Amino acid sequence: IRTKRNALAAGLTIATVRGFLLNFGVYYAVKDAIGAPFAWSPKVSFIARFMTAFATVIAITKDLPDVEGDKAFNISTFATKVGVPKIARGATLCLFANYVHAILTGVLAKAGTFRLLPMIGGHAVLASVLLARFRELEPEKLASIKKYYKHIWDLFYMEYVLYTLI
């Protein structure tokens, strides 16, 4: 199924697969396949929620690097409708809120649920990196847009590194 011309379908697919199914679904499917009993995991629940929100932002920003091509071929995307500056600002705000929620999850969780240094400190560092990268963005320059989008993916994958520590 091609979803390039349907931003909503593309976004829902990306958020569902990269966010929820990849994290929650695969974890519990593997547990079932090896015969392990189902047991709720706060860490898996956290990563599934966090990455679903993150993947939703990726779904919205995925067209930023190709906004000029989309305009040239009359492809309607969030980026062509709303503009790079507003999409980047909104994406950064959503991701920052996601990091704040992660930090608060660590602060408010029952003792021993998460390792606090990576859960709180790690997410604070990644939130700071996000804000620094956003400040570097020059939305009128394609190279800068591509760099900003790449940094979103870098943060996405850094979350999986951090996940092994929480």
Side-chain angles (χ1 to χ4, degrees):
I1 298 173
R2 295 191 42 91
T3 59
K4 177 70 174 172
R5 292 190 179 271
N6 187 330
L8 183 60
L12 287 173
T13 301
I14 291 168
T16 301
V17 173
R18 280 214 168 255
F20 182 74
L21 292 177
L22 184 64
N23 297 288
F24 190 85
V26 170
Y27 177 80
Y28 286 108
V30 169
K31 280 191 74 140
D32 183 61
I34 63 172
F38 180 89
W40 187 257
S41 168
K43 291 178 181 180
V44 172
S45 177
F46 164 75
I47 197 70
R49 188 221 41 87
F50 187 90
M51 296 311 262
T52 298
F54 212 119
T56 301
V57 169
I58 286 172
I60 293 168
T61 59
K62 70 179 179 50
D63 295 310
L64 287 179
D66 194 32
V67 72
E68 293 306 318
D70 289 342
K71 284 179 183 176
F73 289 97
N74 202 26
I75 297 173
S76 179
T77 65
F78 288 123
T80 60
K81 289 179 183 176
V82 179
V84 172
K86 288 181 181 176
I87 294 291
R89 189 177 316 110
T92 301
L93 286 172
C94 288
L95 289 177
F96 186 75
N98 204 26
Y99 284 119
V100 169
H101 189 271
I103 292 165
L104 291 175
T105 299
V107 169
L108 300 173
K110 187 175 91 175
T113 302
F114 299 102
R115 291 186 191 117
L116 296 183
L117 183 61
M119 186 65 176
I120 297 169
H123 286 107
V125 167
L126 293 180
S128 298
V129 170
L130 168 72
L131 294 177
R133 299 300 186 219
F134 176 69
R135 282 190 217 106
E136 295 172 355
L137 174 64
E138 297 174 78
E140 66 284 347
K141 295 183 179 178
L142 183 60
S144 182
I145 295 167
K146 287 181 177 183
K147 186 176 179 183
Y148 169 80
Y149 183 66
K150 180 195 172 295
H151 288 310
I152 289 175
W153 277 102
D154 292 344
L155 289 169
F156 181 85
Y157 289 116
M158 283 304 302
E159 186 61 32
Y160 283 114
V161 172
L162 188 58
Y163 176 69
T164 66
L165 304 173
I166 64 170

